[in-house]
Amino acid sequence: AQSVAQPEDQVNVAEGNPLTVKCTYSVSGNPYLFWYVQYPNRGLQFLLKYITGDNLVKGSYGFEAEFNKSQTSFHLKKPSALVSDSALYFCAYGQNFVFGPGTRLSVLP
Amino acid sequence: EAQVTQNPRYLITVTGKKLTVTCSQNMNHEYMSWYRQDPGLGLRQIYYSMNVEVTDKGDVPEGYKVSRKEKRNFPLILESPSPNQTSLYFCASSIRTARDEQFFGPGTRLTVL
């Protein structure tokens, strides 16, 4: 069965430090992978996606993600975290609409 | 402004009372979908539609109905709501498929007493 895992429920990072939100996948076929962000009382917003090509994908708000086929991972990264990045982040597999459980990111001032 | 709208945003109802949550998009998207979000479970797909008059079940379709009579609208119908359908519901649309970026509505928080 296709699945997406986010091993951390919560990630805390100090403002200005780099952040990583982890995602691993188990899918057959092409790994169409997405990251979405959800701010309080809002719907999800698209950050970036990997379909094919360059393993390093750049997205909105300074975020990027690295697709690693050998480790079946698609971790979300940002070089310098902002307090305003605090939100719930979802990794998703696009082929059959599977979302991970979400990781709550808290950026501390 | 390109957007997905849902109504109502909040709804409290009682067991067995039929309800409809509306969803509309103004981007001429072919693909539309309904999800429910529950703590610790992420988003789970209820139903999706690839185009007008084409709908299919997602992972958790039991207790729900949908229709796609017009391209822009994709209502979610609960014929006889039960307390286990208390959840946060999101409608989403994309240009053609789930491999495209999805645009999400603001959500509908439903409580079934």
Side-chain angles (χ1 to χ4, degrees), chain A residues 63-101:
Chain A
F63 284 93
E64 58 187 27
E66 185 170 9
F67 172 72
N68 189 316
K69 188 174 182 178
S70 63
Q71 297 185 4
T72 61
S73 67
F74 189 55
H75 300 334
L76 181 70
K77 300 181 180 182
K78 187 174 182 181
S80 179
L82 301 172
V83 172
S84 58
D85 292 330
S86 298
L88 190 56
Y89 290 81
F90 291 96
C91 183
Y93 172 55
Q95 185 69 26
N96 66 340
F97 334 116
V98 175
F99 281 77

Side-chain angles (χ1 to χ4, degrees), chain A residues 32 34 36 38 41-46 49 51 88 90 94-102, chain B residues 9-10 31 35 37 40-43 45 48 59 88 90 98-106:
Chain A
Y32 304 113
F34 293 74
Y36 288 86
Q38 185 181 27
N41 300 314
R42 302 284 296 276
L44 278 71
Q45 297 177 32
F46 169 80
K49 69 179 179 182
I51 301 296
L88 190 56
F90 291 96
Q95 185 69 26
N96 66 340
F97 334 116
V98 175
F99 281 77
Chain B
R9 293 289 311 279
Y10 302 91
Y31 177 89
Y35 298 89
Q37 183 180 13
L41 297 177
L43 275 75
Q45 191 178 53
Y48 65 95
D59 292 329
L88 180 58
F90 288 101
R99 282 174 275 173
D100 300 310
E101 168 191 352
Q102 290 193 65
F103 293 79
F104 283 80

Side-chain angles (χ1 to χ4, degrees), chain B:
Chain B
E1 179 188 357
Q3 60 183 347
V4 178
T5 56
Q6 295 178 228
N7 282 292
R9 293 289 311 279
Y10 302 91
L11 179 59
I12 300 174
T13 189
V14 296
T15 299
K17 186 176 181 181
K18 181 180 178 179
L19 66 91
T20 299
V21 184
T22 64
C23 172
S24 183
Q25 51 92 5
N26 62 0
M27 295 167 281
N28 201 36
H29 285 174
E30 293 184 0
Y31 177 89
M32 297 186 74
S33 179
W34 276 102
Y35 298 89
R36 60 177 290 174
Q37 183 180 13
D38 301 291
L41 297 177
L43 275 75
R44 293 178 293 168
Q45 191 178 53
I46 302 171
Y47 270 95
Y48 65 95
S49 170
M50 300 293 285
N51 214 325
V52 176
E53 301 293 0
V54 180
T55 64
D56 212 343
K57 296 178 180 179
D59 292 329
V60 289
E62 293 78 20
Y64 305 95
K65 287 177 57 178
V66 293
S67 68
R68 189 90 181 273
K69 297 178 182 178
E70 305 167 282
K71 198 171 188 178
R72 64 183 295 126
N73 296 323
F74 191 46
L76 179 69
I77 304 159
L78 284 71
E79 294 271 4
S80 183
S82 61
N84 64 12
Q85 293 178 299
T86 292
S87 188
L88 180 58
Y89 291 86
F90 288 101
C91 181
S93 72
S94 65
I95 292 175
R96 292 190 63 189
T97 72
R99 282 174 275 173
D100 300 310
E101 168 191 352
Q102 290 193 65
F103 293 79
F104 283 80
T108 295
R109 186 165 294 282
L110 172 66
T111 301
V112 183
L113 302 175

